[in-house]
Amino acid sequence: MGIREFPGGTPRGKGIAISMRRSPDVSPRRLSDISPQLRQLKYLVVDEAIKEDLKWSRSVEDLTGGPAGLTSIEERILRITGYYGYQPWAASYKREERPRDGPGPAEAPAGAEAGRANRSGCRCSGLQLRKLSWGLAVVLCVCASWAGSTQLAKLTFQTFDAPFTLTWFATTWNCLFFPLYYAGHVCKAADRQSVKQRYRECCRFFGDNGLTLKVFFTKAAPFGVLWTLTNYLYLHAIKKINTTDVSVLFCCNKAFVFLLSWIVLRDRFMGVRIVAAILAIAGIVMMTYADGFHSHSVIGIALVVGSASMSALYKVLFKLLLGSAKFGEAALFLSILGVFNVLFITCIPVILYFTKVEYWSSFNDIPWGNLCGFSVLLLTFNIVLNFGIAVTYPTLMSLGIVLSVPVNAVVDHYTSEIVFNGVRVIAIIIIGLGFLLLLLPEEWDVWLVKLLTRLKVRKKEETAEGGGDLGSGPRNKSRRARPSFAR
């Protein structure tokens, strides 16, 4: 090594000797002291056997395994010549045998960085664990409120056959959204605002002029109509078919949202979501076939598909016209929908009552407990669905809707005469699978490739470590068997 690096002899060695680092463990040496040996190195011919012994000698091993990977020029030459019994490996071994009570000055920043990284990793994992815990609670709440409201509506129609009146009564409870939000703001916010200040700040969501009469009729009234149609069609479908079919068919609204967003909002095209939409449509057809295309089942399926379509149109138009809303703005908007329902939709139940389309003989015959219970469950469902994103992931909240399907299926199995034939079960599975595919994030393919790459790299590292462990034994043994050339 050192022989071929310096063919020029002594003059070049003198020029380089100025900047050479000297070993602190031995007395200082100069290249001029060993100039005769250096001149002899020029004509030195090394035998192959000697090269092999030199490769396994401890001096060369110390050369390649130094702290900085390379040693100084002077130390290389002194190793080869063995001048004055210079043995740098003895000093290096002494340094390696010293006990290390703590990190040195150069290692302290790295240790501090590692400690900070570990603390931040623990903090991130704790935050994720907290979000997952809240997510589990939110999923259970969404599932229980949605399935409970569906079953309670089915029970209410046995004695009170008025789906539109029930829709109007439940939508009126939307007026409580903003008061409940303000109560939470007073309890949690550090800088509390008055009701008027908070209302004016949330009204900026509608524009610089706030909530004007024109804004009310152009941006709030259409959504009030869509809200009422969504709930009415859903409740009317419950009268025609069982709650299991209604709940699973309503899950198709996720596919309709994707299709409308792709067409209207020009969202990113994703093949997996197209597959999910096809699965949803196939599930609707199979669900219709499950009961043999009877008139009640066909009408009920058409009603719930219409409800899912209105829900998808509501979401896409909201994003198109109003964009995204903060918590206070969303609460104010939903309260405005309740006010619109009271002011402009109240006349419709009255007309239906006097035309005896939805008629009840006495107000005492109205099951107020069922009506209030349904309204509270629906209000809880909307509150959790709109504000649950503050404590958990949106995907987990959506899982609560699809989990309500098996809950309704179990209840229908014991309370109704539903027949779970093969076609119905396959349709439920297909629609549920399509719903889950729609929950995949947009970058799911990139994440999948990264995960597979990471697993492949880890497997290669484990294989290399296993091969290194197997090969280290014979190599160390051969090293111990060879004598040191420098000695």
Side-chain angles (χ1 to χ4, degrees), residues 440-486:
L440 292 175
E442 291 187 356
E443 304 296 333
W444 71 273
D445 50 347
V446 178
W447 293 355
L448 183 61
V449 171
K450 287 182 178 179
L451 178 62
L452 294 176
T453 305
R454 188 175 301 173
L455 292 176
K456 190 181 296 184
V457 170
R458 184 176 299 175
K459 187 176 180 181
K460 287 183 179 179
E461 290 177 353
E462 292 176 354
T463 306
E465 289 177 0
D469 294 339
L470 292 175
S472 60
R475 185 174 180 182
N476 291 335
K477 187 175 180 180
S478 63
R479 286 187 179 184
R480 288 194 298 268
R482 296 179 181 274
S484 174
F485 177 75

Side-chain angles (χ1 to χ4, degrees), residues 123-399:
R123 193 180 302 115
C124 292
S125 61
L127 180 61
Q128 292 175 355
L129 184 61
R130 192 182 306 118
K131 272 199 168 188
L132 289 175
S133 303
W134 275 107
L136 180 61
V138 168
V139 166
L140 294 176
C141 189
V142 169
C143 178
S145 58
W146 187 239
S149 61
T150 303
Q151 293 294 332
L152 196 55
K154 186 78 171 181
L155 183 63
T156 304
F157 292 147
Q158 296 178 2
T159 57
F160 184 71
D161 189 9
F164 195 91
T165 303
L166 182 59
T167 301
W168 171 84
F169 184 79
T171 307
T172 305
W173 287 58
N174 281 11
C175 298
L176 298 176
F177 267 101
F178 190 75
L180 290 175
Y181 163 77
Y182 182 74
H185 166 75
V186 170
C187 296
K188 300 293 290 184
D191 49 342
R192 300 174 183 175
Q193 298 177 335
S194 63
V195 179
K196 192 174 183 179
Q197 290 175 339
R198 200 63 190 165
Y199 171 78
R200 286 180 177 176
E201 185 174 341
C202 293
C203 281
R204 295 176 185 173
F205 173 67
F206 297 101
D208 297 335
N209 297 326
L211 182 62
T212 60
L213 196 62
K214 179 182 178 181
V215 170
F216 179 81
F217 283 105
T218 57
K219 293 187 177 181
F223 293 101
V225 174
L226 290 174
W227 181 283
T228 303
L229 286 175
T230 300
N231 288 278
Y232 170 69
L233 293 175
Y234 185 85
L235 292 176
H236 197 71
I238 293 177
K239 287 178 54 182
K240 302 291 184 181
I241 56 178
N242 57 75
T243 56
T244 303
D245 295 349
V246 172
S247 58
V248 71
L249 288 171
F250 190 78
C251 292
C252 296
N253 77 317
K254 202 83 173 174
F256 299 155
V257 168
F258 163 69
L259 293 175
L260 287 175
S261 300
W262 181 39
I263 297 171
V264 179
L265 301 178
R266 305 295 177 86
D267 280 358
R268 176 186 172 187
F269 174 81
M270 292 182 63
V272 66
R273 293 186 177 178
I274 289 292
V275 173
I278 295 173
L279 290 176
I281 296 172
I284 294 171
V285 175
M286 294 183 68
M287 191 66 71
T288 308
Y289 178 75
D291 287 332
F293 294 98
H294 296 299
S295 59
H296 279 280
S297 63
V298 172
I299 293 174
I301 291 172
L303 288 171
V304 71
V305 170
S307 174
S309 303
M310 292 297 105
S311 174
L313 185 61
Y314 174 94
K315 294 176 182 179
V316 173
L317 286 181
F318 186 91
K319 189 174 182 180
L320 178 66
L321 299 178
L322 298 174
S324 58
K326 299 179 182 178
F327 295 125
E329 297 166 350
L332 179 62
F333 183 78
L334 292 172
S335 295
I336 291 172
L337 295 186
V339 173
F340 171 82
N341 180 74
V342 172
L343 295 178
F344 298 98
I345 307 296
T346 306
C347 58
I348 298 179
V350 175
I351 294 173
L352 294 176
Y353 175 78
F354 285 107
T355 56
K356 295 189 177 181
V357 175
E358 292 185 358
Y359 181 77
W360 54 93
S361 57
S362 174
F363 282 93
N364 295 327
D365 298 334
I366 299 177
W368 292 106
N370 291 349
L371 265 67
C372 293
F374 171 79
S375 302
V376 169
L377 287 174
L378 193 61
L379 180 67
T380 303
F381 172 78
N382 288 310
I383 288 175
V384 175
L385 204 63
N386 283 279
F387 304 118
I389 193 175
V391 294
T392 187
Y393 303 103
T395 304
L396 291 178
M397 295 189 299
S398 300
L399 284 176

Side-chain angles (χ1 to χ4, degrees), residues 46-63:
V46 183
D47 188 64
E48 294 295 331
I50 298 177
K51 284 183 180 180
E52 186 67 21
D53 290 336
L54 186 64
K55 186 173 69 173
W56 292 105
S57 66
R58 186 179 294 175
S59 60
V60 178
E61 180 185 349
D62 184 69
L63 173 66

